[in-house]
Amino acid sequence: QVSQLANKFRGTLIGALLGDCLGAPFEGDFVVTKSVLTNYVTKLQVETGSVLQMYSYTDDTAMTKSVAESLLECKGFDAKDMAKRFTFEYEQQPKRGYGANVVDVFSALKLTDFEDPFAPAKAQFKGLGSYGNGSAMRISPVALFGYNMPFDQLCDLTKNCSLLTHTNRGGYNGAILQCLAIHQALHTNITDINEAAKFNSKEFLNSLIDSMTKVEKDETSQPFTDKLLSMKKVIEEEKELGALDIAYLFGHGVAAINSVPTAIYIFLRAQKPLQEYETDNVFVRTLYLSISVGGDTDTIASMACSLTGALYGATEIPEILIKRCEVNEEIMKLADNLYAAVMGK
Ligand code: 8NA
Ligand code: MG
Ligand code: MG
Ligand code: MG
């Protein structure tokens, strides 16, 4: 038996792993039909034969592991250490579906012997930096490690972890939004699934809007805040958006602006029963909706499932789904170690 907070820490990282592994087979599809998806998710939950079919993780988890390990080993942010872990992980297993351009950062880091670990990312896209979701997809350990951090410190830590690969504000602000959302879910006091009805999506979104307004206040435009404001309208009107509508309104692509808000909307939407997919489990609903929007399914599912895991904890996740994911035991251990680090044990 672990405490509910330890359970929420596990849910955060296991959710991220599960969305990545189970969402990956549909990456790049343009929305996924109800029949294909129902068949897939139903089969995932049934044990047939003696050997369970396993699902591989992709870059999302590879980089999440590196972030967690670096924070734990260095007891905080160490740019060189984290950059080295990203690069070595990539070198050992390059075929994990990394973004098309981020691999150039790893090569440049190695070539320059990690002398200035922030330099290669700055040169990406003719100096504009990457706005991909690659920094947001790996940020869950930061929300855990920064569980007790004040707002500004948490944002700074997130930004630093992002700048190693993503220097465009679309990239690092996307990571900040995802990190703040997880952090808020962790701090939302829900003792178990039976208290789900207490969760208030509107309040959750409003306080996220307040936070993101602070983050974007000195910038020339506020793209993330604007998207959250349009989400607020959708939620207040209690519209039940289908997959196409979600993809159209919030996006389903590899840019953080087209995937982080999408994951947050899906997390909020999955709180209530879905018309298209019948299941009582909020976690399974999150997975269904994430994959249904198509596009960057592994990353959207990873981010959305991490949020659901942070709110309810790992015990709400069907065990058979966890067992199907590669490295699930290792990820569970990382969550426990982060919990111990935060508790000062
Ligand atoms: P990234 O930094 O290479 O960015 C991803 C892509 O976004 C780039 O390849 C560009 O197409 C585009 N992009 C980013 N910034 C700019 C810019 N300033 N100007 C023009 N285009 C830009 O990699 P990342 O780490 O952000 O990518 C993360 C995503 O890649 C995740 O979804 C992950 O799952 C993976 N992914 C892999 C595949 C695959 O083929 N296996 C497909 C989609 C995504
Ligand atoms: Mg991936
Ligand atoms: Mg992939
Ligand atoms: Mg992806």
Side-chain angles (χ1 to χ4, degrees):
Q1 265 289 336
V2 296
S3 74
Q4 177 58 359
L5 187 56
N7 184 26
K8 281 158 84 76
F9 270 53
R10 286 179 173 184
T12 305
L13 291 201
I14 289 290
L17 170 73
L18 210 136
D20 178 23
C21 294
L22 304 181
F26 298 91
E27 195 176 38
D29 289 4
F30 181 78
V31 305
V32 180
T33 62
K34 182 183 163 177
S35 61
V36 168
L37 192 50
T38 307
N39 188 29
Y40 173 69
V41 178
T42 306
K43 277 190 179 157
L44 283 177
Q45 295 177 85
V46 183
E47 215 155 336
T48 46
S50 52
V51 194
L52 205 62
Q53 190 189 340
M54 297 291 288
Y55 289 77
S56 303
Y57 68 82
T58 77
D59 56 334
D60 306 61
T61 299
M63 298 193 88
T64 298
K65 278 200 294 156
S66 296
V67 170
E69 285 159 2
S70 184
L71 291 173
L72 284 165
E73 282 297 317
C74 304
K75 299 183 167 51
F77 179 67
D78 181 318
K80 210 173 258 195
D81 181 85
M82 198 174 281
K84 281 185 180 171
R85 286 175 197 272
F86 288 154
T87 306
F88 294 153
E89 173 77 36
Y90 168 70
E91 274 186 337
Q92 276 171 10
Q93 301 188 35
K95 292 189 177 150
R96 291 280 184 182
Y98 284 88
N101 293 73
V102 71
V103 297
D104 298 339
V105 174
F106 305 142
S107 309
L109 282 167
K110 186 97 195 271
L111 267 172
T112 56
D113 198 24
F114 302 92
E115 196 187 346
D116 175 0
F118 291 108
K122 287 184 198 153
Q124 293 285 87
F125 301 97
K126 300 197 168 104
L128 292 174
S130 174
Y131 53 58
N133 56 21
S135 52
M137 74 183 183
R138 65 176 188 243
I139 215 64
S140 52
V142 175
L144 302 182
F145 189 80
Y147 179 76
N148 288 321
M149 279 180 190
F151 183 81
D152 289 341
Q153 197 185 344
L154 182 64
C155 292
D156 286 347
L157 175 61
T158 305
K159 187 169 173 179
N160 278 326
C161 291
S162 302
L163 289 177
L164 292 170
T165 50
H166 292 69
T167 65
N168 188 290
R169 70 187 172 102
Y172 61 74
N173 279 343
I176 290 176
L177 174 56
Q178 174 65 10
C179 183
L180 291 174
I182 296 175
H183 194 256
Q184 213 178 283
L186 288 169
H187 282 271
T188 302
N189 201 4
I190 298 240
T191 53
D192 63 50
I193 191 67
N194 301 317
E195 290 196 329
K198 278 194 201 163
F199 178 72
N200 187 325
S201 291
K202 289 175 201 166
E203 265 174 31
F204 187 93
L205 184 56
N206 282 339
S207 85
L208 206 50
I209 290 171
D210 289 345
S211 298
M212 217 48 211
T213 303
K214 278 186 224 160
V215 172
E216 291 185 315
K217 75 175 180 323
D218 294 328
E219 291 172 3
T220 50
S221 62
Q222 289 69 35
F224 288 97
T225 309
D226 290 347
K227 265 209 164 152
L228 294 177
L229 288 169
S230 54
M231 194 179 305
K232 183 180 155 102
K233 270 183 83 179
V234 171
I235 295 222
E236 279 176 354
E237 289 168 10
E238 303 198 354
K239 280 190 196 153
E240 300 194 353
L241 300 184
L244 262 174
D245 299 323
I246 299 173
Y248 178 77
L249 253 181
F250 302 116
H252 65 181
V254 294
I257 188 66
N258 293 326
S259 46
V260 178
T262 314
I264 292 169
Y265 175 74
I266 288 169
F267 156 69
L268 296 174
R269 177 72 186 85
Q271 297 297 318
K272 289 195 189 142
L274 305 173
Q275 222 172 46
E276 314 89 297
Y277 302 103
E278 262 179 69
T279 168
D280 292 338
N281 186 285
V282 58
F283 202 86
V284 176
R285 288 202 292 268
T286 310
L287 187 65
Y288 261 127
L289 268 185
S290 304
I291 297 175
S292 74
V293 301
D296 196 359
T297 48
D298 65 331
T299 303
I300 292 171
S302 180
M303 296 190 294
C305 291
S306 182
L307 286 165
T308 303
L311 187 60
Y312 296 111
T315 45
E316 175 60 9
I317 307 174
E319 212 174 324
I320 186 164
L321 295 185
I322 301 177
K323 280 198 295 184
R324 286 190 186 278
C325 299
E326 191 184 359
V327 298
N328 64 73
E329 287 174 4
E330 190 183 328
I331 294 295
M332 194 79 92
K333 199 159 279 166
L334 282 173
D336 289 346
N337 290 344
L338 283 163
Y339 179 73
V342 167
M343 294 297 134
K345 285 175 193 159

